Amino acid sequence: MIQSGNEMLDIILNGKLSAAADAGINVEIVRMQAPEKLPLSDAELCSLLVNIMDNAVAAASAAGVEQPYIRLDAHLKSGFFVFSCKNSAAREWMQGKKEQETGPTHGLGLKIIRQISERYGDLMETERGTDDYKVMLAIPLDQPSK
């Protein structure tokens, strides 16, 4: 049970991580620290986390993944809320997602994540490894809460 200090973040992540565990995905929490209020609106936070977690669960449970896992890290650093999600993924799944992003109805999750990130300083990175995928975000905390 996640208790980060932010009720909305906790509700979203606890629901998604429960679904991940039910799917046989090993879940690891490195750190889980967040301010009570983030500058994002609840709708933005929900869209951001639901899309990140849905992508992570889909990738980790895809065919060809031998050891499915999701590793989350959320913490405060130098005036930023830093969130990262790393998950196992099969190369074939990642390649298929990359090709789908060019279609009109595919790749919307990452597009939504990027749009929200752009509103808050555009501090987002993604990394594709041989058998993993990682999304990292930093949200400046010096903005007024929505």
Side-chain angles (χ1 to χ4, degrees):
M1 189 83 151
I2 290 177
Q3 294 182 339
S4 68
N6 183 289
E7 185 178 2
M8 182 60 73
L9 182 124
D10 295 349
I11 290 168
I12 296 164
L13 290 180
N14 282 318
K16 291 297 179 180
L17 293 177
S18 176
D22 289 347
I25 299 169
N26 182 42
V27 174
E28 178 187 350
I29 307 298
V30 178
R31 289 173 281 194
M32 197 50 61
Q33 175 193 25
E36 186 177 337
K37 283 300 234 178
L38 285 163
L40 294 86
S41 69
D42 286 347
E44 289 172 320
L45 181 60
C46 185
S47 290
L48 189 69
L49 293 177
V50 166
N51 280 291
I52 289 171
M53 296 306 299
D54 283 350
N55 288 347
V57 170
S61 60
V65 175
E66 292 182 21
Q67 295 181 354
Y69 72 88
I70 295 174
R71 183 175 302 125
L72 297 179
D73 186 3
H75 61 280
L76 304 174
K77 183 176 181 181
S78 303
F80 290 86
F81 170 64
V82 180
F83 181 85
S84 72
C85 176
K86 184 174 183 177
N87 56 269
S88 53
R91 179 169 287 284
E92 296 80 17
W93 187 89
M94 287 189 287
Q95 184 60 38
K97 280 305 225 188
K98 189 174 183 180
E99 291 167 1
Q100 288 176 356
E101 288 172 10
T102 60
T105 60
H106 297 287
L108 293 178
L110 192 54
K111 184 176 181 179
I112 290 166
I113 295 165
R114 286 190 195 285
Q115 287 173 342
I116 294 169
S117 172
E118 286 170 2
R119 291 181 212 148
Y120 296 93
D122 199 20
L123 300 171
M124 177 186 153
E125 289 183 14
T126 59
E127 293 177 1
R128 290 176 195 236
T130 307
D131 58 358
D132 60 27
Y133 186 79
K134 184 174 184 179
V135 175
M136 297 158 289
L137 297 162
I139 306 291
L141 296 174
D142 61 358
Q143 301 178 41
S145 297
K146 291 189 178 181

